[in-house]
Amino acid sequence: MLFLILSILCSVTVGVIFKLSRNYNISVIQIVSWNYLFALVLCFFTFSPDFNAIDHTAPWSIYITLGILLPSIFIFLAVSIKHMGIVKTDAAQRLSLFIPLLAAWLIFKEDFNLLKITAFLIGFPALLLILSKPAANTSNKWMYPAAVLIGFGLIDILFKQIALYTSLPFTSSLFVIFAISLTLMIAAILYDVIARKTPLTAINILFGALVGAFNFGNILFYLEAHQAFADNPSTVFAAMNMGVIILGSLLGILVFKEKMSKRNYVGLALALVSIVLIALSQMDV
């Protein structure tokens, strides 16, 4: 469970950094680009990836798909927040839990015991109650949160497959994925600077470095958690999503002084019950 807790902490910190960055004149494309540069450097110096192990037998289709999906979903996340608001975007991101849970049952052939089924039946309405607050933006551009929902769901599934690919170190796989993402974002940042005349600024580098460090930690600990719970991917899928929502909500209330309705508090309580049931289900398998 330690890896799950560390992954949740890193994930929430990334969200906090993006929230704080809105107080400055920033470029999301530049922040995402610098993020992958710093994450790549951290991966290289922390783990010294074994490049000889990465050959034609490596899961290149998964590498390329993740390398494209990761930065693309970051961008869709920012656009969705702009057009649909933070609440609806956050709901889409966390409700992406449905996709990997279906994969745990249909693809990874995981057996669900009664406690786990009960936890999910409580957890889904908990997510809806937590996120049930009015959004200021009523735009009908649902393609953006839809892309966020589908994208994060697919990323969860693909990282699960990478974690189970034991013929080469997953840290080497992570380096390749970051390199593909960085290559894609270099093209995006060139367009941003040349075509849109957006200047390169130190504030974007600073926020990019912070996001890169915690994004690296988030993915690393997430993969470690999947390896620790190799036979129960739904435990990771569910606990990660609900843990992020609970911690994010607490930070919103205590630090950013966001208002919560009675319905939101009921959702938080149900989510805590759901997480306890998930932990108990782990002992019952």
Side-chain angles (χ1 to χ4, degrees), residues 2-18 35 42 74 93-94 210-222 240 243-244 247-248 251:
L2 175 62
F3 294 129
L4 262 177
I5 293 170
L6 291 173
S7 182
I8 290 168
L9 288 173
C10 288
S11 178
V12 171
T13 302
V14 169
V16 169
I17 293 169
F18 272 116
N35 147 69
L42 280 172
F74 259 124
Q93 180 181 351
R94 297 310 161 194
L210 290 172
V211 171
F214 286 101
N215 187 31
F216 171 74
N218 174 32
I219 295 174
L220 172 66
F221 294 129
Y222 187 68
M240 179 68 186
V244 166
L247 182 56
L251 284 175

PDB file of all heavy atoms in Angstrom, residues 2-18 35 42 74 93-94 210-222 240 243-244 247-248 251:
ATOM      1  N   LEU A   2       2.123   1.149   0.419  1.00  0.00           N
ATOM      2  CA  LEU A   2       2.997   2.331   0.461  1.00  0.00           C
ATOM      3  C   LEU A   2       3.149   2.951  -0.922  1.00  0.00           C
ATOM      4  O   LEU A   2       3.098   4.187  -1.073  1.00  0.00           O
ATOM      5  CB  LEU A   2       4.369   1.949   1.023  1.00  0.00           C
ATOM      6  CG  LEU A   2       5.420   3.066   1.019  1.00  0.00           C
ATOM      7  CD1 LEU A   2       4.978   4.233   1.895  1.00  0.00           C
ATOM      8  CD2 LEU A   2       6.770   2.527   1.483  1.00  0.00           C
ATOM      9  N   PHE A   3       3.338   2.103  -1.938  1.00  0.00           N
ATOM     10  CA  PHE A   3       3.493   2.619  -3.304  1.00  0.00           C
ATOM     11  C   PHE A   3       2.229   3.360  -3.760  1.00  0.00           C
ATOM     12  O   PHE A   3       2.313   4.388  -4.433  1.00  0.00           O
ATOM     13  CB  PHE A   3       3.817   1.481  -4.268  1.00  0.00           C
ATOM     14  CG  PHE A   3       5.154   0.840  -4.022  1.00  0.00           C
ATOM     15  CD1 PHE A   3       5.264  -0.534  -3.891  1.00  0.00           C
ATOM     16  CD2 PHE A   3       6.300   1.609  -3.912  1.00  0.00           C
ATOM     17  CE1 PHE A   3       6.500  -1.130  -3.659  1.00  0.00           C
ATOM     18  CE2 PHE A   3       7.542   1.024  -3.684  1.00  0.00           C
ATOM     19  CZ  PHE A   3       7.645  -0.344  -3.556  1.00  0.00           C
ATOM     20  N   LEU A   4       1.067   2.821  -3.402  1.00  0.00           N
ATOM     21  CA  LEU A   4      -0.190   3.479  -3.758  1.00  0.00           C
ATOM     22  C   LEU A   4      -0.290   4.854  -3.098  1.00  0.00           C
ATOM     23  O   LEU A   4      -0.675   5.839  -3.734  1.00  0.00           O
ATOM     24  CB  LEU A   4      -1.372   2.615  -3.316  1.00  0.00           C
ATOM     25  CG  LEU A   4      -2.020   1.726  -4.379  1.00  0.00           C
ATOM     26  CD1 LEU A   4      -3.113   0.880  -3.756  1.00  0.00           C
ATOM     27  CD2 LEU A   4      -2.572   2.556  -5.509  1.00  0.00           C
ATOM     28  N   ILE A   5       0.070   4.939  -1.812  1.00  0.00           N
ATOM     29  CA  ILE A   5       0.005   6.208  -1.087  1.00  0.00           C
ATOM     30  C   ILE A   5       0.940   7.234  -1.714  1.00  0.00           C
ATOM     31  O   ILE A   5       0.567   8.396  -1.930  1.00  0.00           O
ATOM     32  CB  ILE A   5       0.352   5.994   0.402  1.00  0.00           C
ATOM     33  CG1 ILE A   5      -0.731   5.153   1.078  1.00  0.00           C
ATOM     34  CG2 ILE A   5       0.509   7.343   1.123  1.00  0.00           C
ATOM     35  CD1 ILE A   5      -0.367   4.695   2.477  1.00  0.00           C
ATOM     36  N   LEU A   6       2.167   6.801  -2.047  1.00  0.00           N
ATOM     37  CA  LEU A   6       3.136   7.715  -2.662  1.00  0.00           C
ATOM     38  C   LEU A   6       2.657   8.181  -4.039  1.00  0.00           C
ATOM     39  O   LEU A   6       2.821   9.351  -4.401  1.00  0.00           O
ATOM     40  CB  LEU A   6       4.497   7.024  -2.781  1.00  0.00           C
ATOM     41  CG  LEU A   6       5.227   6.765  -1.457  1.00  0.00           C
ATOM     42  CD1 LEU A   6       6.473   5.922  -1.696  1.00  0.00           C
ATOM     43  CD2 LEU A   6       5.588   8.071  -0.772  1.00  0.00           C
ATOM     44  N   SER A   7       2.051   7.263  -4.801  1.00  0.00           N
ATOM     45  CA  SER A   7       1.529   7.621  -6.118  1.00  0.00           C
ATOM     46  C   SER A   7       0.397   8.635  -5.992  1.00  0.00           C
ATOM     47  O   SER A   7       0.321   9.603  -6.762  1.00  0.00           O
ATOM     48  CB  SER A   7       1.043   6.367  -6.852  1.00  0.00           C
ATOM     49  OG  SER A   7       0.582   6.690  -8.142  1.00  0.00           O
ATOM     50  N   ILE A   8      -0.482   8.427  -5.017  1.00  0.00           N
ATOM     51  CA  ILE A   8      -1.592   9.362  -4.782  1.00  0.00           C
ATOM     52  C   ILE A   8      -1.052  10.744  -4.412  1.00  0.00           C
ATOM     53  O   ILE A   8      -1.522  11.767  -4.928  1.00  0.00           O
ATOM     54  CB  ILE A   8      -2.523   8.827  -3.678  1.00  0.00           C
ATOM     55  CG1 ILE A   8      -3.308   7.603  -4.192  1.00  0.00           C
ATOM     56  CG2 ILE A   8      -3.479   9.896  -3.194  1.00  0.00           C
ATOM     57  CD1 ILE A   8      -4.027   6.834  -3.105  1.00  0.00           C
ATOM     58  N   LEU A   9      -0.058  10.793  -3.520  1.00  0.00           N
ATOM     59  CA  LEU A   9       0.525  12.063  -3.098  1.00  0.00           C
ATOM     60  C   LEU A   9       1.134  12.814  -4.286  1.00  0.00           C
ATOM     61  O   LEU A   9       0.942  14.024  -4.439  1.00  0.00           O
ATOM     62  CB  LEU A   9       1.591  11.829  -2.024  1.00  0.00           C
ATOM     63  CG  LEU A   9       1.083  11.412  -0.643  1.00  0.00           C
ATOM     64  CD1 LEU A   9       2.250  11.049   0.263  1.00  0.00           C
ATOM     65  CD2 LEU A   9       0.249  12.521  -0.012  1.00  0.00           C
ATOM     66  N   CYS A  10       1.859  12.086  -5.128  1.00  0.00           N
ATOM     67  CA  CYS A  10       2.479  12.719  -6.299  1.00  0.00           C
ATOM     68  C   CYS A  10       1.420  13.217  -7.279  1.00  0.00           C
ATOM     69  O   CYS A  10       1.539  14.311  -7.838  1.00  0.00           O
ATOM     70  CB  CYS A  10       3.413  11.727  -6.995  1.00  0.00           C
ATOM     71  SG  CYS A  10       4.950  11.380  -6.099  1.00  0.00           S
ATOM     72  N   SER A  11       0.376  12.415  -7.487  1.00  0.00           N
ATOM     73  CA  SER A  11      -0.676  12.794  -8.423  1.00  0.00           C
ATOM     74  C   SER A  11      -1.387  14.066  -7.969  1.00  0.00           C
ATOM     75  O   SER A  11      -1.612  14.985  -8.769  1.00  0.00           O
ATOM     76  CB  SER A  11      -1.693  11.656  -8.555  1.00  0.00           C
ATOM     77  OG  SER A  11      -2.749  12.008  -9.420  1.00  0.00           O
ATOM     78  N   VAL A  12      -1.726  14.135  -6.689  1.00  0.00           N
ATOM     79  CA  VAL A  12      -2.412  15.316  -6.164  1.00  0.00           C
ATOM     80  C   VAL A  12      -1.507  16.541  -6.237  1.00  0.00           C
ATOM     81  O   VAL A  12      -1.968  17.648  -6.550  1.00  0.00           O
ATOM     82  CB  VAL A  12      -2.881  15.065  -4.712  1.00  0.00           C
ATOM     83  CG1 VAL A  12      -3.401  16.355  -4.076  1.00  0.00           C
ATOM     84  CG2 VAL A  12      -3.963  13.996  -4.682  1.00  0.00           C
ATOM     85  N   THR A  13      -0.223  16.353  -5.983  1.00  0.00           N
ATOM     86  CA  THR A  13       0.723  17.472  -6.043  1.00  0.00           C
ATOM     87  C   THR A  13       0.795  18.050  -7.448  1.00  0.00           C
ATOM     88  O   THR A  13       0.881  19.271  -7.625  1.00  0.00           O
ATOM     89  CB  THR A  13       2.123  17.021  -5.582  1.00  0.00           C
ATOM     90  OG1 THR A  13       2.043  16.501  -4.246  1.00  0.00           O
ATOM     91  CG2 THR A  13       3.101  18.193  -5.594  1.00  0.00           C
ATOM     92  N   VAL A  14       0.754  17.193  -8.461  1.00  0.00           N
ATOM     93  CA  VAL A  14       0.739  17.681  -9.847  1.00  0.00           C
ATOM     94  C   VAL A  14      -0.480  18.574 -10.078  1.00  0.00           C
ATOM     95  O   VAL A  14      -0.377  19.653 -10.677  1.00  0.00           O
ATOM     96  CB  VAL A  14       0.731  16.499 -10.847  1.00  0.00           C
ATOM     97  CG1 VAL A  14       0.443  16.995 -12.268  1.00  0.00           C
ATOM     98  CG2 VAL A  14       2.075  15.776 -10.818  1.00  0.00           C
ATOM     99  N   GLY A  15      -1.639  18.146  -9.583  1.00  0.00           N
ATOM    100  CA  GLY A  15      -2.846  18.952  -9.726  1.00  0.00           C
ATOM    101  C   GLY A  15      -2.732  20.290  -9.014  1.00  0.00           C
ATOM    102  O   GLY A  15      -3.171  21.324  -9.534  1.00  0.00           O
ATOM    103  N   VAL A  16      -2.129  20.272  -7.823  1.00  0.00           N
ATOM    104  CA  VAL A  16      -1.943  21.517  -7.062  1.00  0.00           C
ATOM    105  C   VAL A  16      -1.025  22.473  -7.813  1.00  0.00           C
ATOM    106  O   VAL A  16      -1.264  23.684  -7.873  1.00  0.00           O
ATOM    107  CB  VAL A  16      -1.367  21.210  -5.663  1.00  0.00           C
ATOM    108  CG1 VAL A  16      -0.922  22.499  -4.961  1.00  0.00           C
ATOM    109  CG2 VAL A  16      -2.405  20.482  -4.808  1.00  0.00           C
ATOM    110  N   ILE A  17       0.032  21.932  -8.428  1.00  0.00           N
ATOM    111  CA  ILE A  17       0.969  22.774  -9.189  1.00  0.00           C
ATOM    112  C   ILE A  17       0.252  23.436 -10.356  1.00  0.00           C
ATOM    113  O   ILE A  17       0.418  24.637 -10.614  1.00  0.00           O
ATOM    114  CB  ILE A  17       2.168  21.940  -9.686  1.00  0.00           C
ATOM    115  CG1 ILE A  17       3.015  21.471  -8.503  1.00  0.00           C
ATOM    116  CG2 ILE A  17       3.034  22.754 -10.651  1.00  0.00           C
ATOM    117  CD1 ILE A  17       4.059  20.441  -8.858  1.00  0.00           C
ATOM    118  N   PHE A  18      -0.558  22.663 -11.086  1.00  0.00           N
ATOM    119  CA  PHE A  18      -1.311  23.245 -12.202  1.00  0.00           C
ATOM    120  C   PHE A  18      -2.304  24.298 -11.701  1.00  0.00           C
ATOM    121  O   PHE A  18      -2.513  25.325 -12.355  1.00  0.00           O
ATOM    122  CB  PHE A  18      -2.054  22.157 -12.981  1.00  0.00           C
ATOM    123  CG  PHE A  18      -1.234  21.539 -14.080  1.00  0.00           C
ATOM    124  CD1 PHE A  18      -0.885  20.201 -14.057  1.00  0.00           C
ATOM    125  CD2 PHE A  18      -0.808  22.310 -15.149  1.00  0.00           C
ATOM    126  CE1 PHE A  18      -0.127  19.633 -15.073  1.00  0.00           C
ATOM    127  CE2 PHE A  18      -0.051  21.753 -16.182  1.00  0.00           C
ATOM    128  CZ  PHE A  18       0.292  20.422 -16.135  1.00  0.00           C
ATOM    129  N   ASN A  35       8.096  19.308 -18.543  1.00  0.00           N
ATOM    130  CA  ASN A  35       7.764  18.212 -17.645  1.00  0.00           C
ATOM    131  C   ASN A  35       8.396  16.909 -18.126  1.00  0.00           C
ATOM    132  O   ASN A  35       9.017  16.174 -17.345  1.00  0.00           O
ATOM    133  CB  ASN A  35       6.242  18.097 -17.549  1.00  0.00           C
ATOM    134  CG  ASN A  35       5.747  16.674 -17.368  1.00  0.00           C
ATOM    135  OD1 ASN A  35       5.937  16.056 -16.326  1.00  0.00           O
ATOM    136  ND2 ASN A  35       5.092  16.160 -18.392  1.00  0.00           N
ATOM    137  N   LEU A  42      15.352  12.522 -14.885  1.00  0.00           N
ATOM    138  CA  LEU A  42      15.231  11.823 -13.603  1.00  0.00           C
ATOM    139  C   LEU A  42      15.261  10.309 -13.796  1.00  0.00           C
ATOM    140  O   LEU A  42      15.911   9.588 -13.043  1.00  0.00           O
ATOM    141  CB  LEU A  42      13.933  12.230 -12.906  1.00  0.00           C
ATOM    142  CG  LEU A  42      13.932  13.561 -12.163  1.00  0.00           C
ATOM    143  CD1 LEU A  42      12.515  13.907 -11.711  1.00  0.00           C
ATOM    144  CD2 LEU A  42      14.872  13.509 -10.972  1.00  0.00           C
ATOM    145  N   PHE A  74      -2.745  15.393 -21.272  1.00  0.00           N
ATOM    146  CA  PHE A  74      -2.408  16.593 -20.509  1.00  0.00           C
ATOM    147  C   PHE A  74      -2.990  17.826 -21.196  1.00  0.00           C
ATOM    148  O   PHE A  74      -3.571  18.703 -20.558  1.00  0.00           O
ATOM    149  CB  PHE A  74      -0.887  16.751 -20.387  1.00  0.00           C
ATOM    150  CG  PHE A  74      -0.337  16.321 -19.054  1.00  0.00           C
ATOM    151  CD1 PHE A  74       0.659  15.358 -18.976  1.00  0.00           C
ATOM    152  CD2 PHE A  74      -0.790  16.899 -17.880  1.00  0.00           C
ATOM    153  CE1 PHE A  74       1.182  14.967 -17.752  1.00  0.00           C
ATOM    154  CE2 PHE A  74      -0.279  16.521 -16.645  1.00  0.00           C
ATOM    155  CZ  PHE A  74       0.706  15.547 -16.574  1.00  0.00           C
ATOM    156  N   GLN A  93     -12.145  12.739 -15.485  1.00  0.00           N
ATOM    157  CA  GLN A  93     -10.877  12.053 -15.235  1.00  0.00           C
ATOM    158  C   GLN A  93     -11.049  10.911 -14.242  1.00  0.00           C
ATOM    159  O   GLN A  93     -10.557   9.806 -14.459  1.00  0.00           O
ATOM    160  CB  GLN A  93      -9.850  13.047 -14.690  1.00  0.00           C
ATOM    161  CG  GLN A  93      -8.494  12.405 -14.399  1.00  0.00           C
ATOM    162  CD  GLN A  93      -7.503  13.399 -13.828  1.00  0.00           C
ATOM    163  OE1 GLN A  93      -7.755  14.602 -13.803  1.00  0.00           O
ATOM    164  NE2 GLN A  93      -6.378  12.902 -13.366  1.00  0.00           N
ATOM    165  N   ARG A  94     -11.761  11.159 -13.143  1.00  0.00           N
ATOM    166  CA  ARG A  94     -11.895  10.143 -12.109  1.00  0.00           C
ATOM    167  C   ARG A  94     -12.897   9.048 -12.491  1.00  0.00           C
ATOM    168  O   ARG A  94     -12.735   7.891 -12.085  1.00  0.00           O
ATOM    169  CB  ARG A  94     -12.305  10.800 -10.790  1.00  0.00           C
ATOM    170  CG  ARG A  94     -11.263  11.771 -10.267  1.00  0.00           C
ATOM    171  CD  ARG A  94      -9.885  11.128 -10.244  1.00  0.00           C
ATOM    172  NE  ARG A  94      -8.811  12.104 -10.176  1.00  0.00           N
ATOM    173  CZ  ARG A  94      -7.538  11.832 -10.413  1.00  0.00           C
ATOM    174  NH1 ARG A  94      -7.173  10.607 -10.749  1.00  0.00           N
ATOM    175  NH2 ARG A  94      -6.625  12.776 -10.336  1.00  0.00           N
ATOM    176  N   LEU A 210       8.798  21.145 -11.759  1.00  0.00           N
ATOM    177  CA  LEU A 210       8.022  20.636 -10.625  1.00  0.00           C
ATOM    178  C   LEU A 210       7.040  19.550 -11.067  1.00  0.00           C
ATOM    179  O   LEU A 210       6.949  18.481 -10.449  1.00  0.00           O
ATOM    180  CB  LEU A 210       7.260  21.785  -9.957  1.00  0.00           C
ATOM    181  CG  LEU A 210       8.108  22.805  -9.194  1.00  0.00           C
ATOM    182  CD1 LEU A 210       7.255  23.984  -8.750  1.00  0.00           C
ATOM    183  CD2 LEU A 210       8.782  22.152  -7.993  1.00  0.00           C
ATOM    184  N   VAL A 211       6.328  19.825 -12.168  1.00  0.00           N
ATOM    185  CA  VAL A 211       5.380  18.834 -12.682  1.00  0.00           C
ATOM    186  C   VAL A 211       6.130  17.570 -13.102  1.00  0.00           C
ATOM    187  O   VAL A 211       5.680  16.447 -12.832  1.00  0.00           O
ATOM    188  CB  VAL A 211       4.578  19.409 -13.870  1.00  0.00           C
ATOM    189  CG1 VAL A 211       3.750  18.311 -14.540  1.00  0.00           C
ATOM    190  CG2 VAL A 211       3.650  20.522 -13.400  1.00  0.00           C
ATOM    191  N   GLY A 212       7.285  17.737 -13.753  1.00  0.00           N
ATOM    192  CA  GLY A 212       8.067  16.589 -14.207  1.00  0.00           C
ATOM    193  C   GLY A 212       8.511  15.694 -13.069  1.00  0.00           C
ATOM    194  O   GLY A 212       8.439  14.461 -13.162  1.00  0.00           O
ATOM    195  N   ALA A 213       8.968  16.308 -11.964  1.00  0.00           N
ATOM    196  CA  ALA A 213       9.443  15.528 -10.818  1.00  0.00           C
ATOM    197  C   ALA A 213       8.310  14.710 -10.205  1.00  0.00           C
ATOM    198  O   ALA A 213       8.459  13.506  -9.945  1.00  0.00           O
ATOM    199  CB  ALA A 213      10.061  16.461  -9.778  1.00  0.00           C
ATOM    200  N   PHE A 214       7.170  15.354  -9.973  1.00  0.00           N
ATOM    201  CA  PHE A 214       6.056  14.649  -9.337  1.00  0.00           C
ATOM    202  C   PHE A 214       5.318  13.731 -10.309  1.00  0.00           C
ATOM    203  O   PHE A 214       4.770  12.698  -9.898  1.00  0.00           O
ATOM    204  CB  PHE A 214       5.101  15.654  -8.702  1.00  0.00           C
ATOM    205  CG  PHE A 214       5.643  16.271  -7.442  1.00  0.00           C
ATOM    206  CD1 PHE A 214       6.194  17.539  -7.454  1.00  0.00           C
ATOM    207  CD2 PHE A 214       5.633  15.568  -6.246  1.00  0.00           C
ATOM    208  CE1 PHE A 214       6.708  18.112  -6.300  1.00  0.00           C
ATOM    209  CE2 PHE A 214       6.150  16.119  -5.087  1.00  0.00           C
ATOM    210  CZ  PHE A 214       6.691  17.392  -5.115  1.00  0.00           C
ATOM    211  N   ASN A 215       5.307  14.070 -11.594  1.00  0.00           N
ATOM    212  CA  ASN A 215       4.718  13.183 -12.598  1.00  0.00           C
ATOM    213  C   ASN A 215       5.534  11.898 -12.698  1.00  0.00           C
ATOM    214  O   ASN A 215       4.985  10.793 -12.801  1.00  0.00           O
ATOM    215  CB  ASN A 215       4.669  13.895 -13.950  1.00  0.00           C
ATOM    216  CG  ASN A 215       3.912  13.109 -14.999  1.00  0.00           C
ATOM    217  OD1 ASN A 215       2.978  12.383 -14.694  1.00  0.00           O
ATOM    218  ND2 ASN A 215       4.328  13.251 -16.243  1.00  0.00           N
ATOM    219  N   PHE A 216       6.855  12.045 -12.655  1.00  0.00           N
ATOM    220  CA  PHE A 216       7.752  10.886 -12.660  1.00  0.00           C
ATOM    221  C   PHE A 216       7.479   9.995 -11.447  1.00  0.00           C
ATOM    222  O   PHE A 216       7.346   8.773 -11.560  1.00  0.00           O
ATOM    223  CB  PHE A 216       9.207  11.349 -12.667  1.00  0.00           C
ATOM    224  CG  PHE A 216      10.206  10.253 -12.449  1.00  0.00           C
ATOM    225  CD1 PHE A 216      10.491   9.344 -13.451  1.00  0.00           C
ATOM    226  CD2 PHE A 216      10.871  10.124 -11.237  1.00  0.00           C
ATOM    227  CE1 PHE A 216      11.412   8.316 -13.256  1.00  0.00           C
ATOM    228  CE2 PHE A 216      11.787   9.112 -11.032  1.00  0.00           C
ATOM    229  CZ  PHE A 216      12.062   8.210 -12.043  1.00  0.00           C
ATOM    230  N   GLY A 217       7.374  10.622 -10.271  1.00  0.00           N
ATOM    231  CA  GLY A 217       7.103   9.856  -9.056  1.00  0.00           C
ATOM    232  C   GLY A 217       5.751   9.170  -9.107  1.00  0.00           C
ATOM    233  O   GLY A 217       5.610   8.015  -8.704  1.00  0.00           O
ATOM    234  N   ASN A 218       4.752   9.870  -9.638  1.00  0.00           N
ATOM    235  CA  ASN A 218       3.406   9.316  -9.741  1.00  0.00           C
ATOM    236  C   ASN A 218       3.396   8.042 -10.583  1.00  0.00           C
ATOM    237  O   ASN A 218       2.884   6.999 -10.161  1.00  0.00           O
ATOM    238  CB  ASN A 218       2.473  10.373 -10.347  1.00  0.00           C
ATOM    239  CG  ASN A 218       1.082   9.833 -10.635  1.00  0.00           C
ATOM    240  OD1 ASN A 218       0.579   8.970  -9.934  1.00  0.00           O
ATOM    241  ND2 ASN A 218       0.479  10.339 -11.689  1.00  0.00           N
ATOM    242  N   ILE A 219       3.987   8.118 -11.773  1.00  0.00           N
ATOM    243  CA  ILE A 219       3.983   6.959 -12.676  1.00  0.00           C
ATOM    244  C   ILE A 219       4.838   5.833 -12.124  1.00  0.00           C
ATOM    245  O   ILE A 219       4.457   4.654 -12.176  1.00  0.00           O
ATOM    246  CB  ILE A 219       4.473   7.382 -14.076  1.00  0.00           C
ATOM    247  CG1 ILE A 219       3.475   8.373 -14.698  1.00  0.00           C
ATOM    248  CG2 ILE A 219       4.640   6.166 -14.984  1.00  0.00           C
ATOM    249  CD1 ILE A 219       3.929   8.951 -16.014  1.00  0.00           C
ATOM    250  N   LEU A 220       6.000   6.177 -11.561  1.00  0.00           N
ATOM    251  CA  LEU A 220       6.894   5.159 -11.007  1.00  0.00           C
ATOM    252  C   LEU A 220       6.211   4.375  -9.899  1.00  0.00           C
ATOM    253  O   LEU A 220       6.188   3.131  -9.919  1.00  0.00           O
ATOM    254  CB  LEU A 220       8.168   5.818 -10.479  1.00  0.00           C
ATOM    255  CG  LEU A 220       9.108   4.894  -9.699  1.00  0.00           C
ATOM    256  CD1 LEU A 220       9.687   3.825 -10.609  1.00  0.00           C
ATOM    257  CD2 LEU A 220      10.224   5.689  -9.048  1.00  0.00           C
ATOM    258  N   PHE A 221       5.647   5.072  -8.915  1.00  0.00           N
ATOM    259  CA  PHE A 221       5.006   4.398  -7.789  1.00  0.00           C
ATOM    260  C   PHE A 221       3.739   3.667  -8.231  1.00  0.00           C
ATOM    261  O   PHE A 221       3.376   2.640  -7.649  1.00  0.00           O
ATOM    262  CB  PHE A 221       4.695   5.400  -6.681  1.00  0.00           C
ATOM    263  CG  PHE A 221       5.931   5.982  -6.041  1.00  0.00           C
ATOM    264  CD1 PHE A 221       6.081   7.352  -5.904  1.00  0.00           C
ATOM    265  CD2 PHE A 221       6.951   5.165  -5.587  1.00  0.00           C
ATOM    266  CE1 PHE A 221       7.218   7.900  -5.327  1.00  0.00           C
ATOM    267  CE2 PHE A 221       8.092   5.691  -5.000  1.00  0.00           C
ATOM    268  CZ  PHE A 221       8.230   7.064  -4.874  1.00  0.00           C
ATOM    269  N   TYR A 222       3.080   4.197  -9.264  1.00  0.00           N
ATOM    270  CA  TYR A 222       1.890   3.538  -9.800  1.00  0.00           C
ATOM    271  C   TYR A 222       2.259   2.179 -10.402  1.00  0.00           C
ATOM    272  O   TYR A 222       1.571   1.173 -10.180  1.00  0.00           O
ATOM    273  CB  TYR A 222       1.236   4.443 -10.839  1.00  0.00           C
ATOM    274  CG  TYR A 222      -0.097   3.965 -11.348  1.00  0.00           C
ATOM    275  CD1 TYR A 222      -1.212   3.941 -10.513  1.00  0.00           C
ATOM    276  CD2 TYR A 222      -0.259   3.546 -12.665  1.00  0.00           C
ATOM    277  CE1 TYR A 222      -2.447   3.518 -10.973  1.00  0.00           C
ATOM    278  CE2 TYR A 222      -1.489   3.124 -13.131  1.00  0.00           C
ATOM    279  CZ  TYR A 222      -2.575   3.118 -12.290  1.00  0.00           C
ATOM    280  OH  TYR A 222      -3.799   2.687 -12.750  1.00  0.00           O
ATOM    281  N   MET A 240      -6.445   4.179  -6.217  1.00  0.00           N
ATOM    282  CA  MET A 240      -5.752   5.348  -6.761  1.00  0.00           C
ATOM    283  C   MET A 240      -6.750   6.462  -7.069  1.00  0.00           C
ATOM    284  O   MET A 240      -6.562   7.613  -6.653  1.00  0.00           O
ATOM    285  CB  MET A 240      -5.000   4.947  -8.042  1.00  0.00           C
ATOM    286  CG  MET A 240      -4.253   6.084  -8.715  1.00  0.00           C
ATOM    287  SD  MET A 240      -2.873   6.638  -7.722  1.00  0.00           S
ATOM    288  CE  MET A 240      -2.342   8.069  -8.673  1.00  0.00           C
ATOM    289  N   GLY A 243      -8.517   7.655  -3.784  1.00  0.00           N
ATOM    290  CA  GLY A 243      -7.555   8.299  -2.903  1.00  0.00           C
ATOM    291  C   GLY A 243      -7.214   9.702  -3.369  1.00  0.00           C
ATOM    292  O   GLY A 243      -7.110  10.632  -2.557  1.00  0.00           O
ATOM    293  N   VAL A 244      -7.046   9.864  -4.673  1.00  0.00           N
ATOM    294  CA  VAL A 244      -6.757  11.188  -5.231  1.00  0.00           C
ATOM    295  C   VAL A 244      -7.919  12.141  -4.978  1.00  0.00           C
ATOM    296  O   VAL A 244      -7.718  13.311  -4.616  1.00  0.00           O
ATOM    297  CB  VAL A 244      -6.459  11.086  -6.748  1.00  0.00           C
ATOM    298  CG1 VAL A 244      -6.487  12.465  -7.399  1.00  0.00           C
ATOM    299  CG2 VAL A 244      -5.104  10.432  -6.970  1.00  0.00           C
ATOM    300  N   LEU A 247      -7.994  13.085  -1.076  1.00  0.00           N
ATOM    301  CA  LEU A 247      -6.916  14.001  -0.703  1.00  0.00           C
ATOM    302  C   LEU A 247      -7.085  15.348  -1.393  1.00  0.00           C
ATOM    303  O   LEU A 247      -6.886  16.407  -0.774  1.00  0.00           O
ATOM    304  CB  LEU A 247      -5.559  13.385  -1.059  1.00  0.00           C
ATOM    305  CG  LEU A 247      -4.327  14.217  -0.687  1.00  0.00           C
ATOM    306  CD1 LEU A 247      -4.333  14.535   0.808  1.00  0.00           C
ATOM    307  CD2 LEU A 247      -3.044  13.482  -1.068  1.00  0.00           C
ATOM    308  N   GLY A 248      -7.464  15.315  -2.678  1.00  0.00           N
ATOM    309  CA  GLY A 248      -7.685  16.559  -3.405  1.00  0.00           C
ATOM    310  C   GLY A 248      -8.808  17.384  -2.796  1.00  0.00           C
ATOM    311  O   GLY A 248      -8.710  18.612  -2.695  1.00  0.00           O
ATOM    312  N   LEU A 251      -7.573  18.985   0.473  1.00  0.00           N
ATOM    313  CA  LEU A 251      -6.733  20.147   0.185  1.00  0.00           C
ATOM    314  C   LEU A 251      -7.580  21.326  -0.282  1.00  0.00           C
ATOM    315  O   LEU A 251      -7.307  22.476   0.087  1.00  0.00           O
ATOM    316  CB  LEU A 251      -5.704  19.791  -0.892  1.00  0.00           C
ATOM    317  CG  LEU A 251      -4.517  18.943  -0.446  1.00  0.00           C
ATOM    318  CD1 LEU A 251      -3.642  18.570  -1.641  1.00  0.00           C
ATOM    319  CD2 LEU A 251      -3.678  19.685   0.579  1.00  0.00           C
TER     320      LEU A 251
END
